[in-house]
């Protein structure tokens, strides 16, 4: 297969766009990066690429694909690798179902608490949401990370893999932000959050390895992202 022509419309500040950067890095695919200014109204040409005006968007040999989870899944399917097995065997289909269930669980049971821990109207709301976030990770995520591997030697990524999987492609950008935004210098998340998470053996191993992976940390502009998030929260709370 000749190398596809890939254009990624992105902004490195965006965690959803970050997913596309992670999958492209992990697959070693060359691409052109076009930065979309998120502080001004989208220009008409970009609304033709993506009528929703969001980043990321992917142009793959001229075909446009939008929505970060769909972009990530598409690239991982089009370029078979360690990220996700194909669906044409029962084992492959099962692993894909496990990944999809994990993604659904994180998005529906965990992420809403994180969002409130960051954006809640009062300090009390934010603290309570932080506690609910940790409790949801303990209940929902901890058992899904390394099922059947208790007491065995295994890699740190989803299912005990020693390489990134589609799960880390989808959640790496959020894990790296969680760790960054909980630093006291940014004063964005309750400082006790990371201490509580450190007690969750599976989650802490997974999150540490993921946030430190070269494909995840390569393009994360920590300080700019933290300051921008802070400014946005301040204007929302006004
Ligand atoms: N569901 C979308 C969310 C993407 C998204 O919200 N991107 C934000 C930047 S982080 C955006 O483009 N915002 C532009 C705007 O709201 O004007 C995805 O997963 O791709």
């Amino acid at each position: 297969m000749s190398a596809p022509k890939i254009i990624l419309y992105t902004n490195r500040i965006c965690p959803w766009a970050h997913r596309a950067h992670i999958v492209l890095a992990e697959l070693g695919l060359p691409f052109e990066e076009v930065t979309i200014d998120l502080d001004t109204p989208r220009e008409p040409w970009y609304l033709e690429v993506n009528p929703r005006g969001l980043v990321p968007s992917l142009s793959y040999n001229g075909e446009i694909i939008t929505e970060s989870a769909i972009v990530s899944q598409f690239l991982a399917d089009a370029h078979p690798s360690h990220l996700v097995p194909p669906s044409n065997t029962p084992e492959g289909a099962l692993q894909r179902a496990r990944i999809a269930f994990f993604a659904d669980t994180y998005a529906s049971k965990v992420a809403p608490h994180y969002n409130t821990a960051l954006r809640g109207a009062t300090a009390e709301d934010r603290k309570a949401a932080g506690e609910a976030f940790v409790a949801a990770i303990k209940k929902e995520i901890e058992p899904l990370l390394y099922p059947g591997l208790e007491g065995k030697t295994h890699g740190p990524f989803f299912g005990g893999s020693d390489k990134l999987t589609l799960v880390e492609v989808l959640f790496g950008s959020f894990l790296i932000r969680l760790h960054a935004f909980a630093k006291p210098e940014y004063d964005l998340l309750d400082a006790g959050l990371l201490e509580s998470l450190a007690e969750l053996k599976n989650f802490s191993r997974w999150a540490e390895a993921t946030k430190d992976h070269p494909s995840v940390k390569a393009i994360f502009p920590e300080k700019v992202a933290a300051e921008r998030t802070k400014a946005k929260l301040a204007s929302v709370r006004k």
Side-chain angles (χ1 to χ4, degrees):
M1 185 169 66
S2 64
K5 165 125 182 70
I6 298 178
I7 306 172
L8 178 64
Y9 301 94
T10 180
N11 189 303
R12 291 183 173 207
I13 216 81
C14 172
W16 310 102
H18 193 172
R19 287 173 156 179
H21 287 270
I22 297 170
V23 69
L24 287 164
E26 203 52 21
L27 295 173
L29 292 170
F31 64 101
E32 181 188 339
E33 180 174 348
V34 176
T35 298
I36 303 301
D37 181 356
L38 298 177
D39 293 326
T40 56
R42 288 321 87 76
E43 292 180 32
W45 72 264
Y46 188 62
L47 293 174
E48 276 180 32
V49 173
N50 183 348
R52 295 181 184 174
L54 302 173
V55 292
S57 301
L58 186 82
S59 171
Y60 186 93
N61 290 333
E63 296 288 342
I64 300 296
I65 299 146
T66 59
E67 285 298 314
S68 59
I70 297 170
V71 167
S72 302
Q73 182 83 57
F74 164 74
L75 287 168
D77 282 344
H79 298 270
S81 74
H82 55 279
L83 289 175
V84 64
S87 59
N88 59 356
T89 65
E91 296 75 27
L94 182 61
Q95 179 66 358
R96 293 170 74 97
R98 299 270 185 257
I99 290 174
F101 183 75
F102 183 96
D104 179 86
T105 301
Y106 201 101
S108 63
K109 309 282 187 201
V110 175
H113 298 301
Y114 175 80
N115 292 335
T116 309
L118 203 55
R119 300 193 179 91
T122 65
E124 291 74 41
D125 290 349
R126 295 195 287 278
K127 193 167 169 31
E131 284 162 10
F133 173 68
V134 175
I137 290 178
K138 184 174 182 180
K139 175 166 181 268
E140 306 281 351
I141 297 300
E142 194 71 357
L144 294 185
L145 281 167
Y146 310 127
L149 295 175
E150 185 71 33
K152 297 191 180 136
T153 303
H154 60 79
F157 302 112
F158 182 71
S161 171
D162 53 12
K163 289 184 177 165
L164 287 199
T165 74
L166 186 59
V167 162
E168 288 78 34
V169 167
L170 296 177
F171 295 101
S173 62
F174 298 100
L175 294 173
I176 203 170
R177 279 164 178 75
L178 166 65
H179 275 255
F181 294 174
K183 289 183 186 170
E185 67 211 69
Y186 298 130
D187 190 25
L188 276 166
L189 285 167
D190 190 81
L193 206 61
L194 287 187
E195 271 169 46
S196 306
L197 288 171
E199 285 166 25
L200 305 180
K201 196 163 57 94
N202 294 345
F203 180 85
S204 54
R205 183 173 178 213
W206 175 62
E208 283 289 330
T210 302
K211 80 174 175 55
D212 289 339
H213 191 283
S215 296
V216 174
K217 66 180 189 186
I219 65 112
F220 178 51
E222 176 178 313
K223 216 166 159 19
V224 181
E227 276 159 14
R228 190 186 162 91
T229 302
K230 215 166 169 174
K232 219 166 166 185
L233 290 176
S235 83
V236 169
R237 283 186 196 138
K238 253 189 207 158

